[in-house]
């Protein structure tokens, strides 16, 4: 069991079924691999295995499987088998959802066909470790039919090789909660760090967050949310 799992949660009873589901996915993915090999296309195929989010599975006392900055939910492996690949390798740099399409096209030799309007970038051959952005949105206003027509950008954050940071705001765009973890010394994220605006590490994380939110024209950038903390105006 993970050090941060709360076995008293009702959800703990679902753990055997969850792991059975994982085994089932592994088995079915194995059938895809076998079919490619039997068809003689294994060496010609780029194979990707990933997920949209992880499963907290009672970590941090949470019932929700996703929508949080914690590693169990947010840090999802991205496994790639390239054509003609014979040896395994582990890359430390991050890939975010918008990067998947341009990364795969680039790997297939189609980089020149990636539209210039794409917000992501090819990351498979990236030299820098970079970061991954975190987003948590809540339902916003509804129309006369009761359908949600927009959203409220409640939280934004960033994960680097070592640190995890999340900032949360109220409906009037005031800071309500912060989470900062050193994932190297605290891998289960049990000891949140104190935020010191003068700390170079914190400043670096905020600068990268500003860079990422500006690049994708996120609502936080558009409305200059927490601009007294996030240095949007310093991004070039």
């Amino acid at each position: 069991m993970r050090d941060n799992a709360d076995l008293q949660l009702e959800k703990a009873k679902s753990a055997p079924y969850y792991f059975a589901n994982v085994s089932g996915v592994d088995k079915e993915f194995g059938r895809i691999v076998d079919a490619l090999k039997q068809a003689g296309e294994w060496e010609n195929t780029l194979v990707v295995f990933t997920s949209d989010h992880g499963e907290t599975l009672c970590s941090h006392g949470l019932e929700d499987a996703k929508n949080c900055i914690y590693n169990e939910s947010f840090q999802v492996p991205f496994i790639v088998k390239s054509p003609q690949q014979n040896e395994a390798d582990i890359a430390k740099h991050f890939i975010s959802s918008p990067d998947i399409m341009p990364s795969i096209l680039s790997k297939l030799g189609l980089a020149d066909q990636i539209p210039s309007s794409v917000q992501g970038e090819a990351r498979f051959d990236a030299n820098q470790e970079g970061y991954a952005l975190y987003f948590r949105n809540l339902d916003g206003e509804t129309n006369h039919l009761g359908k949600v027509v927009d959203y409220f950008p409640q939280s934004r954050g960033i994960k680097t090789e070592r640190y995890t940071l999340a900032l949360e705001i109220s409906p009037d765009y005031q800071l309500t909660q912060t989470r900062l973890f050193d994932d190297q010394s605290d891998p289960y994220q049990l000891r949140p760090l104190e935020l010191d605006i003068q700390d170079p590490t914190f400043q670096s994380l905020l600068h990268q967050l500003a860079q990422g939110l500006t690049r994708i024209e996120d609502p936080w950038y558009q409305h200059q949310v927490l601009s007294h903390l996030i240095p949007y105006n310093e991004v070039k």
Side-chain angles (χ1 to χ4, degrees), residues 165-213:
L165 170 67
L167 307 175
E168 188 172 306
I169 58 174
S170 60
D172 59 351
Y173 294 93
Q174 299 301 308
L175 182 65
T176 59
Q177 188 176 39
T178 60
R179 293 188 180 93
L180 175 62
F181 299 98
D182 182 340
D183 297 330
Q184 180 174 300
S185 62
D186 180 24
Y188 293 108
Q189 299 174 311
L190 295 170
R191 302 186 302 274
L193 302 175
E194 293 291 334
L195 295 182
D196 179 1
I197 189 61
Q198 303 302 323
D199 188 315
T201 296
F202 186 42
Q203 290 183 351
S204 176
L205 290 171
L206 290 173
H207 187 274
Q208 291 179 89
L209 180 60
Q211 184 180 54
L213 297 179

Side-chain angles (χ1 to χ4, degrees), residues 5-236:
D6 183 354
L7 303 186
Q8 301 306 311
L9 291 178
E10 182 68 20
K11 190 175 184 179
K13 299 176 182 178
S14 303
Y17 305 102
Y18 173 75
F19 288 118
N21 181 55
V22 171
S23 297
V25 171
D26 286 348
K27 180 180 179 180
E28 297 306 311
F29 190 75
R31 292 180 60 200
I32 296 175
V33 172
D34 289 342
L36 286 171
K37 291 180 177 179
Q38 291 172 10
E41 296 297 339
W42 176 250
E43 296 298 335
N44 301 322
T45 306
L46 178 72
V47 181
V48 177
F49 187 91
T50 188
S51 175
D52 57 340
H53 62 82
E55 166 61 70
T56 52
L57 207 62
C58 301
S59 296
H60 302 282
L62 298 175
E63 293 283 1
D64 193 0
K66 53 182 180 177
N67 293 329
C68 66
I69 191 66
Y70 295 119
N71 284 336
E72 292 84 0
S73 170
F74 184 60
Q75 189 162 305
V76 181
F78 194 86
I79 304 171
V80 180
K81 194 287 297 183
S82 300
Q84 307 300 322
Q85 181 176 345
N86 297 313
E87 297 182 1
D89 186 26
I90 298 177
K92 292 184 177 181
H93 55 261
F94 289 87
I95 183 169
S96 295
S97 296
D99 302 324
I100 294 176
M101 183 264 278
S103 295
I104 291 177
L105 289 179
S106 178
K107 197 71 172 179
L108 295 174
L110 301 173
D112 59 337
Q113 297 188 40
I114 300 174
S116 59
S117 58
V118 169
Q119 292 181 336
E121 59 183 353
R123 297 288 296 159
F124 287 163
D125 299 319
N127 294 320
Q128 57 183 4
E129 296 174 355
Y131 56 81
L133 293 175
Y134 165 72
F135 307 88
R136 178 182 173 89
N137 299 320
L138 301 180
D139 289 347
E141 296 181 359
T142 57
N143 62 16
H144 66 287
L145 298 176
K147 293 184 177 181
V148 177
V149 294
D150 65 3
Y151 64 90
F152 172 64
Q154 182 194 42
S155 182
R156 295 294 183 262
I158 189 169
K159 178 180 286 293
T160 67
E161 175 72 10
R162 179 169 179 176
Y163 293 99
T164 294
L165 170 67
L167 307 175
E168 188 172 306
I169 58 174
S170 60
D172 59 351
Y173 294 93
Q174 299 301 308
L175 182 65
T176 59
Q177 188 176 39
T178 60
R179 293 188 180 93
L180 175 62
F181 299 98
D182 182 340
D183 297 330
Q184 180 174 300
S185 62
D186 180 24
Y188 293 108
Q189 299 174 311
L190 295 170
R191 302 186 302 274
L193 302 175
E194 293 291 334
L195 295 182
D196 179 1
I197 189 61
Q198 303 302 323
D199 188 315
T201 296
F202 186 42
Q203 290 183 351
S204 176
L205 290 171
L206 290 173
H207 187 274
Q208 291 179 89
L209 180 60
Q211 184 180 54
L213 297 179
T214 300
R215 180 170 67 89
I216 64 173
E217 298 183 354
D218 183 78
W220 275 41
Y221 159 70
Q222 294 176 337
H223 297 287
Q224 296 290 289
V225 176
L226 303 182
S227 57
H228 64 290
L229 286 177
I230 306 174
Y232 303 105
N233 61 345
E234 296 179 11
V235 176
K236 297 181 180 181

